[in-house]
Amino acid sequence: MGSGTTDEEVLGAVGPRLRALRRERGITLADLAATTGVSESTLSRLESGQRRATLELLLPLARTYGVPLDDLVGAPRTGDPRIHLKPIRRFGMTFVPLSRRPGGVQAFKLIIPAQPEPLEPTPQTHEGFEWLYVLHGRLRLVVGERDLVLSSGEAAEFDTSLPHWLGSSDGGVVELLVLYGLQGVRAHVRTDPHRPARGTSGR
């Protein structure tokens, strides 16, 4: 690891990290077992440190949580350390900053936790423009008079001066990438030059 940390210490920290990640996402051991194919007892022992972490166990967990394997084992981050900012909890949601450009477009990952029942929209307004892409789950997006449900792989953009609200459409966990800019700063989407045009007008 380069910082004096032994392999045993690294593996010993995996369990608590997995438990914290599962609780943060609002997922039960039974849910995780059903998704990964790993038994509840094995997952429980892995989180408590009674079961040694192996690649065969960590790969399906990383895939389910949608995080790099490095995050599960606590490997040192590469690149500019100033970019790796701490998650922020706001409005019951977790915002993970992915960029730090004062005055520019801000990028972050947004995690909406599971709820026993879907929440009622409480629209807000503020200056700016937002572009989002759903990574996991079903997102309910209310913008002005429009009430949409977006699934994994779908994207939307909107003016945040309009009353808007983001939440889970079915009470499950939702993860999305968000680009936010000041008024007039928008995401520029370019089409793949190798694919034929669909005949729609550009911006």
Side-chain angles (χ1 to χ4, degrees):
M1 284 288 174
S3 60
T5 306
T6 67
D7 290 346
E8 288 301 320
E9 288 172 329
V10 171
L11 289 172
V14 171
R17 188 174 290 109
L18 290 174
R19 180 184 288 113
L21 185 58
R22 179 175 59 78
R23 289 177 176 173
E24 176 188 298
R25 303 293 178 88
I27 301 173
T28 66
L29 280 172
D31 292 337
L32 194 57
T35 305
T36 61
V38 180
S39 71
E40 278 188 65
S41 61
T42 297
L43 291 170
S44 177
R45 289 168 57 210
L46 186 61
E47 289 187 358
S48 66
Q50 297 174 350
R51 175 70 181 262
R52 187 183 179 93
T54 64
L55 195 58
E56 288 78 13
L57 290 175
L58 293 179
L59 279 175
L61 289 170
R63 191 178 303 115
T64 297
Y65 289 132
V67 299
L69 198 59
D70 286 357
D71 284 8
L72 296 186
V73 298
R77 295 188 179 275
T78 57
D80 189 340
R82 293 172 298 176
I83 299 300
H84 306 298
L85 307 178
K86 293 183 178 180
I88 302 165
R89 292 274 298 175
R90 291 180 64 194
F91 314 117
M93 300 182 286
T94 301
F95 296 78
V96 183
L98 302 177
S99 65
R100 194 173 192 173
R101 294 180 55 205
V105 174
Q106 305 296 319
F108 51 91
K109 182 177 181 180
L110 173 59
I111 302 169
I112 301 173
Q115 300 284 346
E117 294 182 5
L119 300 177
E120 282 301 309
T122 53
Q124 306 287 330
T125 63
H126 54 86
E127 285 297 306
F129 201 86
E130 200 163 293
W131 182 93
L132 56 84
Y133 177 87
V134 181
L135 295 169
H136 171 78
R138 290 173 59 81
L139 174 73
R140 183 181 179 189
L141 171 63
V142 177
V143 180
E145 300 298 317
R146 303 189 69 184
D147 193 336
L148 309 170
V149 174
L150 304 178
S151 300
S152 300
E154 294 189 299
E157 58 179 0
F158 56 92
D159 187 331
T160 56
S161 65
L162 294 171
H164 61 281
W165 178 85
L166 307 176
S168 172
S169 71
D170 55 12
V173 176
V174 183
E175 298 180 22
L176 53 150
L177 292 178
V178 178
L179 296 180
Y180 169 75
L182 298 176
Q183 194 65 24
V185 180
R186 301 177 61 168
H188 297 284
V189 181
R190 298 182 63 180
T191 57
D192 185 339
H194 301 294
R195 294 176 60 185
R198 291 178 175 270
T200 55
S201 59
R203 292 196 176 278

